[in-house]
Amino acid sequence: MKSGIPAGIVAALGLTQIVGYGTLYYSFSILAPGMARDLGQTVEQVFAVFSASLLVGGLSAPIMGGWMDRFGAATIMTFGSAVSAVALLLCAWSPSMPVFAIAIVLLEVASGMVQYQAAFATLVEVRPKMASRSITYLTLIGGFASTIFWPIAVNLSELLSWREIYVAYAGLNLLICLPLHYWILRSRKHGAVERSRIDGEAIAGALPTRVRRRGMLLVSWAFALQGFTLSAILTHMVPMLGAIGFGPAAVVIGSLFGPSQVLSRLINMTLGANLLPPMLATLSAVLIVAGVVVLGLSGTWLPGAVAFAICLGLGSGINSIAQGSLPLWLFGSSGYGAITGRMAAARLAAAAMAPFVFSVLMERFGTNVALMANACLGAIGIAAFVAVASAAKRQPGAH
């Protein structure tokens, strides 16, 4: 990594993001049918609980962001690892649907404490001037989460119950994530003087104060629409591809998503140094919508499904970078946790509705209608990002 980027912290956060997203998010759609059977519920009802939990997680995001600014993001991530493990164990033990619902809600609150929002805030705290590049490296590593954990969940579900799998996942959060987050916390305390010498004052944003409110609304709206599109597709990725007619190949096709995420971040890392964050965000939205449209039009044509997974992965990979770098570029590093917390609230609230709404659309109107409706929302998101880019370009001093 380039000089100045905290390589050890980026690597540690990358590993915890793989475990965090793999255990707390990506595995849910694969384990959901087993959960429904065990709890005597329909799959739609299980996804309704998941959607409600995403909504609560979104509402808690601004609070978490404020805590990160006040206590330090690494502190929140350390505590969040313990909460994640407790929530997973509560899910595994839950004897009834009400207890299960409480556990899933707690799981989503914990996710906001340990996933990208918190990791990006940690990197901004550690070294603000290198945060954008550090975020790119971090997302490059974290992009392997779905590639690793979708197959793991599928294979484990043939050997273990979903409850046993969640107990194992709790162990991963306790034995891997918690110690690494605590190490980052300790290293931050020991390196405070050095960081002050290297970084100096907090970096400023491209937007002047008088237009920041409008910029915040535009960016939040755009990320919310993109969050809905991605959440709907990713939650149902493997089951949806299986329902279309790809059978066992659905897992293989879905697994292309992760490497494509990594590829987009690698390309951005090597060739995208001069590509501004608003342009990155717009490009990510275009790729995601293109992938959804291709799948909706191609049906059971295998190359179409492959193109869908690749485009979705490329767009999602860039989107993860934009979520961290665009707010930093527009608004600066001061109060970064609170700013990204407010944006995450809008994005997660939209994403909360997506799994249930998309599931209902597929059940009642078919997969193609659900996909095209999703693509239309994504297209509105593209327009919002274009508006953000235009607003920033018109401001004196935008860079």
Side-chain angles (χ1 to χ4, degrees):
M1 294 187 181
K2 291 183 178 180
S3 176
I5 292 178
I9 291 177
V10 170
L13 286 174
L15 179 55
T16 66
Q17 293 309 289
I18 289 175
V19 174
Y21 274 97
T23 60
L24 305 179
Y25 184 75
Y26 284 120
S27 297
F28 187 87
S29 64
I30 295 171
L31 302 179
M35 296 172 178
R37 287 192 302 270
D38 194 17
L39 296 167
Q41 307 292 319
T42 66
V43 174
E44 279 190 4
Q45 288 172 321
V46 170
F47 275 111
V49 170
F50 186 62
S51 293
S53 71
L54 287 173
L55 177 60
V56 175
L59 294 175
S60 69
I63 299 174
M64 298 302 170
W67 286 356
M68 290 172 200
D69 288 335
R70 182 177 179 182
F71 302 110
T75 301
I76 300 302
M77 294 191 82
T78 303
F79 183 65
S81 296
V83 177
S84 298
V86 170
L88 286 165
L89 290 174
L90 184 59
C91 280
W93 170 78
S94 55
S96 63
M97 191 63 177
V99 176
F100 174 80
I102 293 172
I104 292 295
V105 167
L106 181 60
L107 204 64
E108 287 309 313
V109 172
S111 295
M113 303 170 72
V114 298
Q115 292 179 347
Y116 275 148
Q117 178 194 349
F120 294 162
T122 299
L123 292 175
V124 171
E125 289 175 2
V126 169
R127 198 153 292 167
K129 292 179 180 178
M130 298 303 299
S132 290
R133 298 304 291 167
S134 297
I135 287 170
T136 301
Y137 284 108
L138 172 62
T139 56
L140 179 67
I141 302 170
F144 287 104
S146 61
T147 303
I148 293 172
F149 272 89
W150 270 334
I152 285 177
V154 169
N155 291 324
L156 285 179
S157 64
E158 297 176 356
L159 303 173
L160 305 172
S161 70
W162 69 271
R163 296 179 186 273
E164 293 168 331
I165 293 172
Y166 265 21
V167 170
Y169 284 176
L172 291 179
N173 280 272
L174 278 178
L175 298 176
I176 296 177
C177 297
L178 193 150
L180 287 175
H181 290 154
Y182 182 72
W183 171 76
I184 294 170
L185 171 62
R186 299 300 299 173
S187 66
R188 270 188 45 72
K189 289 181 177 179
H190 293 157
V193 175
E194 178 66 13
R195 283 194 310 278
S196 177
R197 184 185 68 80
I198 293 175
D199 293 312
E201 298 180 358
I203 62 174
L207 288 183
T209 304
R210 67 181 183 278
V211 296
R212 286 195 173 192
R213 179 176 176 79
R214 184 177 63 184
M216 177 74 73
L217 290 174
L218 279 173
V219 174
S220 298
W221 173 247
F223 277 130
L225 290 172
Q226 202 168 20
F228 184 99
T229 303
L230 276 173
S231 178
I233 298 297
L234 291 178
T235 305
H236 295 281
M237 172 85 89
V238 175
M240 177 185 67
L241 291 171
I244 289 174
F246 292 104
V251 175
V252 179
I253 296 169
S255 295
L256 295 174
F257 172 82
S260 299
Q261 278 191 313
V262 174
L263 177 62
S264 68
R265 293 159 183 170
L266 183 61
I267 292 173
N268 179 67
M269 185 176 66
T270 55
L271 303 177
N274 296 321
L275 196 60
L276 296 180
M279 299 176 188
L280 278 178
T282 304
L283 177 60
S284 73
V286 169
L287 286 167
I288 290 168
V289 171
V292 174
V293 170
V294 167
L295 183 64
L297 296 177
S298 62
T300 58
W301 190 46
L302 181 59
V306 170
F308 150 75
I310 292 174
C311 284
L312 194 73
L314 292 172
S316 177
I318 299 173
N319 175 56
S320 298
I321 299 172
Q323 285 179 25
S325 62
L326 183 57
L328 181 64
W329 187 84
L330 289 173
F331 309 111
S333 60
S334 179
Y336 179 85
I339 290 171
T340 54
R342 289 194 293 270
M343 289 186 180
R347 174 172 51 83
L348 293 174
M353 299 181 289
F356 179 66
V357 171
F358 195 73
S359 177
V360 171
L361 286 175
M362 286 196 298
E363 289 290 332
R364 298 185 180 179
F365 301 103
T367 302
N368 284 348
V369 171
L371 287 170
M372 290 308 166
N374 211 9
C376 289
L377 290 176
I380 299 173
I382 294 173
F385 278 126
V386 170
V388 170
S390 299
K393 189 176 182 180
R394 289 195 298 268
Q395 300 308 316
H399 54 281

